[in-house]
Structures are given as structure tokens and as C-alpha cells.
Amino acid sequence: MARLAGERHSPPVQPSHPIALGGFILTRIWTVAPGLCALLFVAIPGAVRSEPASPPGAAHVTAQRLLNAASEPSQWMTYGGNYEEQRYSRLTRIDRDNVKQLGLAWFADYDTNLTQTGTPLYIDGVIYVSTAWSKVYAFDAHNGKQLWQYNPKTPGEWIRNVCCGIVNRGIAAWNGKIYVGTLDGRLVAIDARTGKEAWSTLTVDPSKHYSITSAPRVAKGKVLIGESGGEYGVRGYISAYDAETGKLDWRFFTVPGNPKDGFENEAMKKAAATWGGEWWKLGGGGTVWDAIVYDPVTDLVYFGTGNGTPWNDQYRDPTNGDNLYLASVVAVKVDTGEYVWHYQSTPADTWDYDAVSPMTIVNLTVDGKQRRVILQPCKNGFFYMLDAPTGKLLRAVPFTEVNWADGVDMKTGRPRVKPEARFPVGRPFNLAPGVQGGHGWQANAFSPETGLLYIATQHAYFPMIADKSFTPNPVGYNLGLDFAAPFTYYRDHPDVPNKFVGYLQAWDPVKGKQVWKGEENQGPPGGALATASGLVFQGGGSSQEVRAYDARSGEKLWSQKTQTGVVAAPITYELDGQQYMAVSVGGTTLGGYYAPNYSRLLVFALNGKVQLPPEKEFTPLPLDPPPATAAADVVDAGSQQYTKNCAACHGDRGQTRGANFPDLTRTPLLHTQEGFDQVVLKGVLSERGMASFAAVLKPEESQAIRAFIIARANDLKKQPQTPWPPGSPPPTQPHTEH
Ligand code: CA
């Protein structure tokens, strides 16, 4: 007999009926006990499919173990800790009283200084973790010894299709295999014992700008995976593959294709009625690039969908249609991929308000009724609570500054959009949340003890400045925005608000209110982990530390410096009677791309005494551009080309993205056109991800881009406050999402 979701808040009493899960027929029974309600599963062995036979020690994850995750808190077997993705551990050895004794037990170096976003898994003595370039490591959790590393060998030049960093957020484990999605769109099953590829399947059309950075999830023997690419122009979908064979089981597209080709299903036909123009030419967008949650109680898969292509809906759909199912949470049946319901948080999205942020399923008493609900703090700044079986909107409350809408009409579920926020051509709008989002991909945690959701929150502005005209770009971003203009906008409007900070906040999901707020850091925050001992662990982003807060009061109880940024989420597990906390660190380091490598897996335990090696001597590249001599019209032409072809990776100022991409205002390549062209047109750095742009840039356009960067670097040099160095915060990232 297995217990699931043993939360204080009671689920509704429902009739029991059998559902098949992995090797068991499970009979679902709601029971109501005083003060504690539990959902019980009665397992009838031997039905449907035989239990996977891998011995322990090799990712022996089964449906039964995942359903029982709450009663096996020593493990961290799935991306969000359990099916509901609550990122809550019932381990209590590390508590509020002794957390100050937490120290490093061991660490393991990664082979790159790129940003690390992966949530590790811990299964039966082994830690598995994905890192930059979609690589996967296995470590012996007893001592940190590397057991294997899997490298999918993604071609370097593929990152021209990758909007937001050479990152990987996580992996799935099932029946002796580890699953990872690769930057170039493959889904790979790795033998957990050997690190060798068991099977690999291409999930995307390689002629399009697809990529994968998100974690696969496994439900009922299927691997669920989405993709990124909505900034460039692709058609979004979610796929389910057979976990044993890699065979495609089902696929649900999130936006309709060309109506002339017919529709895959009724949902696509309905969606097409909400589109105008010829959206299919750029794919439409709506990528499923982060949240995918399987709910064993409703037997539904919930996933979030991204922005449309281009972002700017003046250029995407002249009829200003809602454009289903962009910026929506969609529920489908896990067995078939059949549409069940959707909720579109941002109709006619024009702000990159992807609805893909992490979702958490909990049982709560809402307005006197016991419900199973989905919690999602969305990029658009509203916290949403949806009824899990039906998608009914129960709450929509801002959890960070929102200036594009006055609120959400609870009858229609639609935001009350301010007309000026749609930034018609020539009328910029300083948007909050900016395109960074009020919340990105960073993990939230929910504690059934406190009833609070711990939200990795962002407070960010971004000036939305429409392109004067829009023509599709076959290589770079397709946004319909002047993505290089924010720099000059803020330079010319020094009094408007301009910030991008991250912090953890404790949020009461029923009252729709903040309970406490943690420390701010520049740029995105790190993800969260809650424990039954009243702690919340969180990476401090660019503050370069990992912390523990008191879950009820928000008091900071512990922190440790990490030498580099921490945006990935911590996990906790137990081994040989000792509780550990593990987190991947890396990114947002002073000096960015050129800085020394401090990317690692850090593993903490009570009385851990291990010290990190001292930081290496490092002098960041100086801001030393050649004089700006180009004519204004050349710089302007360079700015336009930069926006189309370079800003995706190198940011609006030529110096963003922390560790992932070089700061172009500081590159020595600015000093000669020949050296610049070697990289930009000849592709000499393609192995490192900088492919040749000769197919889309003429030599005079490369010259104009260099002139633009030189002008910008000189502009920066004149400013009293350079973003870094010295002594100032590390660079922020204007766009960290997909
Ligand atoms: Ca996006």
C-alpha cells in the first residue's frame, strides 16, 4: 500500500476507480482522517506490465517508487522531487537549529564555466546531473567520484539556434535509464550503469531552429519532452516517447499549421479560428520549453506554452487574434495526448509572456472547497491557481510589479490590458515585468507544512520598442522588436525605472499575498527547495552564495559562498544516515565568459569541512575599444544588423549573458576588421559555438556591426557607472527565457 500527497490540506472525497500505472493496477481511494488526509493507492501486482527488473544502484525508478516518493524521502528521483513537482523533502536531520553547521562534504568540478541550471537526481547512492552542452555526469554520492560522463557531442555551431544559453535544466530517470534532451533536439536514453547511449531519437526538424534545454519527464512508461525555438520561428509541440524503445507514442502541437494541410485534431481546428495572417510560415511559436507535470490523480499531463513568433503581435497577426494555444497552460490525456482543457493567461501575447514557468500541484482548501490545484507564478507577473481536473481559474493575483494590465477579469479569465502597453510603432513602453519575466524557469518549492509557495521571483523592466517594419530573418531572432534599442532608451531616459533583480518570496497561494521576501540579487534568482524541518534552501543568483531561510519567518539562517553564480535548484537526500544538500553552481561570475571556471556540483552536510580551492587570479578584460570614427548612418545600419543577428546571444549592450557568451564591447577583435571577420564571416570559432554568418551578412554589414559595437563600447566608457568591473554588480541578462 502506498501513500501519496499526504498533505495537511484535504483532497476532495471522490469515488475510487482503477488506473493503470507501470506494473500495477492502482485503485484510487480518497480517505479523510482527522487533521490529515491521504490519498491511498492499493497496488495489485502482476497486472498490465511486469515491474522493471533493474537492481538498485542503476536508476531503478519505477511508477511505484515515484508514487511512493513521499515515503522514500532519502531519494530525489525526479526533476521536481515528486510527480507534483513540489520540491519538498520530508527529511529533517538538517533543521533550523543545526543548519549553521552545514559545510561542504565534497564537490566535483565540471568541464566548463558556462551557466549551470540543472537539478540533480539522487537515486540509490548515485547523483546524476546534467550540465552545459547537454552533458550528463554520474557521481558516487559516497565520495564524489565520477562514475561516468555522457557527452552527446552537440555541434558547436548549433547554438546559433539557441536563444538563451548553452544550458540544460535537468534529466529524468526510469527503469535503469537516464533521459536527457540535447541542444540539437535529440532525446537520448543513457544506460545508468555504464553511461553509454541506450537509444537516441531526433525529436525535431533539424532544418528549423529548434533546441532542447528542459528536463524530460517520465509518466506511465512514456518520456515527455518539449522544445525551444519560439524566438526564431518554429511550431511548438509536446511529444511522448516509449521509454524503452524511443518510439514516438503521441505528439500534441500547440499551434495550428497551415489550414490548407488540414488539422491534426479538433483542438487545432478551434485554435486556427483565433489566428489571422500567415502564421504558419514562421511556425507560430508556442514551444513547450519548461513546465511539464504529470498528475497521477487526474491522469492528465499539464504543460505550459511559450510566446508566438514574432513576439510583436502587430507583425504576427494583423487581426489581433488570441492565437491559441500560445501563452497557455494546456492539459492532455497522458495515454493519448488528447486535448482536455486549456487556460490562456496572455491572449494576443506581444510581450514574450511564455506560460511555461514551473507548475506545482497541491491539494488546498480554496473558498471552503477542497480542491486539487495547479499553482503557477507566470512570466507575465500574475500568480495563477487553476483547478487541476477542469482548468477553472481560481486565482490571478500579481506577485511582482505588473504595469501592462490592471488585473484579470475572473469571469472571462482575461487580463485587463492597458492599451499603451501594446507599444505601437514609435511609442515605446517600459514594461514590467520585462521580457525577463516576473518568474522564469527557476524552481519554486511548496511546503505542505506552511502551506506556502516559495517563488523564485524577478522584478524587472524592459523597454518594448517596436521595429519600424518587420521582415522574417532566416538565421537570427524574429521578434518584431528593436532589441538593441533598450541601451539607448535608458541612456536617453535616465529617470525611468530600470532594474532587474531576483529574490525568493514566500507566497500564500490561497490569500494571494506575500508572506516574506528574501534578499535581492542582480539578475535572475536561484531555485528553491523546502524541507519538513522548516527550511527553504535557495541559490542566491549573482550573489554567489547558497542560502537557507526559515520557511515561516524568512530569517536567513545560513549561507555559503560559491565563487560563482547559483541559479539552479538545490536538492536534498539521505545516505548512510546523513542528510545532504546538493546544488549545481556556475554562471554570472565577474568577468563573465572570460572568467575562470568555478562550475561545480557542491554537496553539503552537517559538519562538512571541505574547502573550495582558492579563487584564481583574474583580471577582467578592460573596456578598451578603438576610437569611434564611423559615420552615424553606418552605426545605425550596424545596430539593425546587430539586433537581427547578434543580440540573441550577446545581448542589447554586446556584453550580457554572464558566462555564456563573450562581452563584445571588450573583445580584442574590435581592433581590426580582419580579425572580426575571421570570426563573423569565416567562422574560425564555430567549434566553440560561433558559426559563420557569411550566409546572411555581407562584408560591409560586418563592418557596420563592428562600428556599432565600437560606438557602444565608447558610449559605455563615457558613462560614470560601467556595469562591471570593478566593484559593481555582474552583468544582468536582458532576456533569460526562451
Ligand atoms: Ca520566450
Side-chain angles (χ1 to χ4, degrees), residues 320-386:
N320 196 227
D322 283 355
N323 296 173
L324 291 171
Y325 301 93
L326 297 181
S328 302
V329 173
V330 183
V332 298
K333 292 180 183 172
V334 68
D335 292 322
T336 59
E338 190 186 338
Y339 169 93
V340 178
W341 59 254
H342 79 277
Y343 171 71
Q344 187 176 46
S345 42
T346 312
D349 172 39
T350 194
W351 307 277
D352 189 29
Y353 281 157
D354 313 73
V356 302
S357 299
M359 291 185 268
T360 309
I361 301 174
V362 300
N363 298 322
L364 285 178
T365 304
V366 184
D367 305 330
K369 190 173 172 188
Q370 292 173 342
R371 288 183 184 271
R372 189 156 179 90
V373 298
I374 300 169
L375 310 180
Q376 186 191 50
C378 184
K379 267 187 82 179
N380 72 9
F382 287 97
F383 161 82
Y384 295 98
M385 183 195 291
L386 301 172

Side-chain angles (χ1 to χ4, degrees), residues 402-569:
V402 170
N403 71 4
W404 63 279
D406 285 327
V408 173
D409 182 323
M410 293 301 288
K411 284 210 176 93
T412 63
R414 298 174 73 89
R416 292 185 294 267
V417 178
K418 298 177 187 171
E420 65 271 25
R422 289 198 164 273
F423 62 97
V425 173
R427 288 169 55 196
F429 184 78
N430 192 30
L431 180 70
V435 298
Q436 308 93 323
H439 181 279
W441 55 267
Q442 283 85 352
N444 309 310
F446 178 82
S447 166
E449 303 294 323
T450 64
L452 302 178
L453 184 70
Y454 300 92
I455 304 175
T457 310
Q458 299 183 158
H459 186 185
Y461 297 87
F462 192 86
M464 304 300 276
I465 302 169
D467 255 347
K468 294 183 190 73
S469 63
F470 173 75
T471 47
N473 180 345
V475 173
Y477 268 8
N478 282 296
L479 306 182
L481 254 69
D482 187 344
F483 214 57
F487 177 83
T488 42
Y489 176 84
Y490 284 131
R491 184 193 64 195
D492 300 340
H493 300 81
D495 297 330
V496 306
N498 171 17
K499 73 191 295 193
F500 176 16
V501 298
Y503 57 89
L504 188 71
Q505 69 172 312
W507 179 261
D508 185 322
V510 177
K511 291 180 181 159
K513 279 192 175 158
Q514 183 184 94
V515 176
W516 55 258
K517 179 184 170 185
E519 283 179 57
E520 287 187 357
N521 61 260
Q522 293 294 317
L529 158 72
T531 74
S533 52
L535 294 172
V536 183
F537 291 96
Q538 187 230 355
S542 60
S543 295
Q544 305 193 354
E545 64 177 22
V546 57
R547 310 160 172 150
Y549 290 106
D550 183 308
R552 286 186 195 277
S553 71
E555 183 189 351
K556 187 178 174 183
L557 300 175
W558 170 84
S559 68
Q560 172 135 349
K561 284 290 175 191
T562 51
Q563 301 180 342
T564 182
V566 193
V567 286

Side-chain angles (χ1 to χ4, degrees), residues 22-50:
F24 292 82
I25 293 283
L26 299 162
T27 302
R28 201 171 70 192
I29 305 169
W30 292 103
T31 62
V32 183
L36 178 77
C37 297
L39 172 63
L40 301 181
F41 284 87
V42 181
I44 306 168
V48 185
R49 205 184 280 179
S50 63

Side-chain angles (χ1 to χ4, degrees), residues 231 289 307 311 352 354 379 735 737-738:
E231 273 60 47
W289 65 259
N307 57 276
W311 283 359
D352 189 29
D354 313 73
K379 267 187 82 179
H735 179 231
E737 303 313 325
H738 297 236

